[in-house]
Amino acid sequence: MAVAAQARVAHLLRQLQRAACQCPTHSYTYSQAPGLSPSGKTTDYAFEDLQNMGAKNVCLMTDKNLSHLPPVQVVMDSLVKNGITFELYDNVRVEPTDTSFMDAIEFAKRGAFDAYVAVGGGSTMDTCKAANLYASNPQSEFLDYVNAPIGKGKPVSVPLKPLIAVPTTSGTGSETTGVAIFDYEHLKVKTGIASRAIKPTLGLVDPLHTLHMPGQVVANSGFDVLCHALESYTALPYHMRSPCPSNPISRPAYQGSNPISDIWSVQALRIVAKYLKRAVRNPDDLEARSNMHLASAFAGIGFGNAGVHLCHGMSYPISGLVKTYKAKDYNVDHPLVPHGLSVVLTSPAVFTFTAKMFPERHLETAEILGADTRTAKIQDAGPVLADTLRKFLFDLNVDNGLAAIGYSKADIPALVKGTLPQERVTKLAPRPQSEEDLSALFEASMKLY
């Protein structure tokens, strides 16, 4: 970590210490002895849960960048203090692949762990979910649980070990979901594993763990929250989803929009509208950072039940087919289109397309994001929401469409081909789409402004 960044984190922690609530949940500070609040009271309640679970051999997963930062150190200190044996795996890949998943799975199998702790963003939490799943059923083949049609999509019928997820970004909401996403290198496309069985046992949502995030990481993570909320709220309603599964064990994790997920998604969207720009522009804005961390969890609960649709389905080949683009503020050794960026770049085109179904919801979300909809006509819902999103993205200096990250019209057939297998999410779009529709959406997303 750069000296300037270390100084900024120290400054923020001092601010937090002065302003902090002194309850056991919030009184911990990195500057003090592990587990002690300013009043001297033990505050490591979360990792005492591992003791209550009977954990004696824990796998701690993170990535190389985070392994040297305070969130991981705090967890290690806590595990040591509570007398819990652990092994550190810090080889998580940012935007994981099937290869990186399998490396973590082999580590988990060798370790014979009885509990897991994941400290990081969605990449770390998803990798840990996969490691827990396959180590719990070592006879399974990798594609057994991978979503169809790429994998076999088998239901999970084995018991998994406890997993505590500690998110350090404010985007994926992976601490709340039964989904693990990765790049399947053979097809150069993203896919994943979806099952309630892999959902973390416990999520520790603490804004202190986001203080290391650079501005562009805050922005791209926030775009994931934005699209989780928008897509889950505009998804095909649960009572219109088909076909009915032959057995309850085959019931999909994503049920379609419903009255319960709507509450979480709308509230997440309200928080994004109020706080995302502040969180990106001012790293010292603790209120904004804290609220975006909460919004990530809220949206995770929303889309974890309702699902996402076209922005996410189309994002997977955008990430998987990346050529040379490397996003600012990401310390990685490979080309990378961050997930949140790959999702949001198609959002104006997608919501223009889907607004013909349930236009009232599209207008409502545009209003939440700041549009004046008092004189808007119902048939204009798509363009109104799309223009609102373009302004939102322009204000945050987002790359001007897919062309700005290395794609051209010549890539559209490959992008469409990579979207077609994503039926798990694309079928939740409120409006069915053909290959020609997808081609038109990718073309409309080449430039945003």
Side-chain angles (χ1 to χ4, degrees):
M1 180 189 264
V3 174
Q6 286 178 323
R8 180 172 65 78
V9 170
H11 168 67
L12 289 171
L13 288 170
R14 285 193 295 271
Q15 281 185 264
L16 279 172
Q17 187 172 2
R18 285 194 297 268
C21 166
Q22 296 302 308
C23 74
T25 303
H26 298 108
S27 58
Y28 188 87
T29 60
Y30 295 135
S31 59
Q32 289 160 324
L36 295 180
S37 72
S39 61
K41 293 181 180 178
T42 300
T43 60
D44 279 339
Y45 296 154
F47 294 100
E48 287 177 357
D49 281 329
L50 286 171
Q51 288 182 319
N52 295 338
M53 295 169 185
K56 300 185 184 304
N57 183 27
V58 173
C59 175
L60 171 58
M61 283 202 176
T62 191
D63 62 47
K64 286 278 192 287
N65 293 324
L66 269 169
S67 63
H68 306 294
L69 294 177
V72 173
Q73 189 60 52
V74 169
V75 171
M76 290 194 292
D77 289 346
S78 178
L79 292 170
V80 169
K81 177 182 178 296
N82 285 290
I84 297 172
T85 301
F86 70 92
E87 286 188 56
L88 175 67
Y89 179 87
D90 65 357
N91 203 34
V92 169
R93 188 182 194 271
V94 178
E95 302 296 337
T97 64
D98 52 324
T99 302
S100 71
F101 263 21
M102 286 189 278
D103 185 73
I105 290 164
E106 288 307 310
F107 180 87
K109 287 180 178 178
R110 290 193 303 270
F113 302 108
D114 56 14
Y116 294 81
V117 177
V119 184
S123 297
T124 295
M125 291 184 279
D126 287 3
T127 299
C128 199
K129 291 174 188 177
N132 187 10
L133 171 61
Y134 288 93
S136 298
N137 187 13
Q139 289 76 38
S140 60
E141 297 179 358
F142 182 71
L143 289 178
D144 281 353
Y145 297 120
V146 173
N147 298 326
I150 292 172
K152 298 176 183 177
K154 289 184 177 179
V156 177
S157 57
V158 296
L160 273 62
K161 302 296 190 290
L163 191 164
I164 294 179
V166 186
T168 60
T169 60
S170 303
T172 65
S174 187
E175 70 277 8
T176 72
T177 72
V179 178
I181 301 297
F182 65 93
D183 282 310
Y184 188 53
E185 294 173 297
H186 175 65
L187 296 179
K188 292 187 176 180
V189 69
K190 263 186 165 49
T191 184
I193 302 160
S195 169
R196 291 174 185 81
I198 67 173
K199 190 179 295 187
T201 312
L202 178 68
L204 302 183
V205 180
D206 184 345
L208 280 175
H209 295 140
T210 71
L211 299 183
H212 67 284
M213 279 199 298
Q216 206 54 51
V217 179
V218 175
N220 290 326
S221 299
F223 297 147
D224 202 18
V225 180
L226 171 67
C227 287
H228 283 159
L230 285 171
E231 289 173 74
S232 57
Y233 192 58
T234 58
L236 190 74
Y238 72 100
H239 54 80
M240 296 176 66
R241 178 179 54 80
S242 64
C244 178
S246 58
N247 186 296
I249 198 172
S250 301
R251 185 183 294 121
Y254 291 167
Q255 293 290 297
S257 62
N258 60 80
I260 295 173
S261 64
D262 287 351
I263 294 170
W264 296 98
S265 300
V266 168
Q267 183 60 21
L269 193 62
R270 293 188 190 281
I271 297 172
V272 169
K274 183 175 181 180
Y275 288 107
L276 178 55
K277 290 180 184 179
R278 282 174 50 179
V280 173
R281 291 168 177 166
N282 182 4
D284 291 344
D285 192 333
L286 301 177
E287 181 185 3
R289 285 282 177 107
S290 297
N291 275 280
M292 282 305 302
H293 208 39
L294 198 60
S296 176
F298 282 8
I301 296 169
F303 93 84
N305 287 278
V308 287
H309 55 82
L310 284 176
C311 293
H312 272 75
M314 294 170 66
S315 80
Y316 297 146
I318 293 170
S319 294
L321 296 171
V322 60
K323 300 172 185 177
T324 59
Y325 183 83
K326 284 190 178 180
K328 179 186 174 185
D329 287 343
Y330 287 79
N331 183 19
V332 293
D333 60 1
H334 54 275
L336 173 70
V337 180
H339 174 63
L341 179 62
S342 70
V343 168
V344 85
L345 287 177
T346 62
S347 62
V350 162
F351 292 111
T352 300
F353 175 78
T354 59
K356 290 185 178 180
M357 301 296 291
F358 316 115
E360 296 86 356
R361 289 196 168 214
H362 288 70
L363 270 183
E364 181 186 353
T365 56
E367 184 177 19
I368 291 171
L369 291 172
D372 183 351
T373 61
R374 288 174 296 181
T375 59
K377 297 178 181 178
I378 201 72
Q379 61 265 32
D380 295 330
V384 169
L385 178 53
D387 287 345
T388 304
L389 286 166
R390 286 190 191 93
K391 183 178 186 304
F392 197 87
L393 300 181
F394 183 81
D395 288 348
L396 288 171
N397 300 310
V398 173
D399 295 279
N400 188 11
L402 297 179
I405 62 172
Y407 290 105
S408 69
K409 289 184 180 180
D411 297 307
I412 290 177
L415 291 167
V416 171
K417 183 180 178 182
T419 304
L420 293 176
Q422 310 301 332
E423 292 182 354
R424 179 180 62 91
V425 293
T426 56
K427 282 191 172 181
L428 284 169
R431 181 180 173 189
Q433 64 284 163
S434 63
E435 290 188 38
E436 291 74 20
D437 291 329
L438 292 173
S439 295
L441 290 173
F442 279 116
E443 185 170 356
S445 301
M446 285 294 164
K447 286 195 173 182
L448 295 181
Y449 318 122

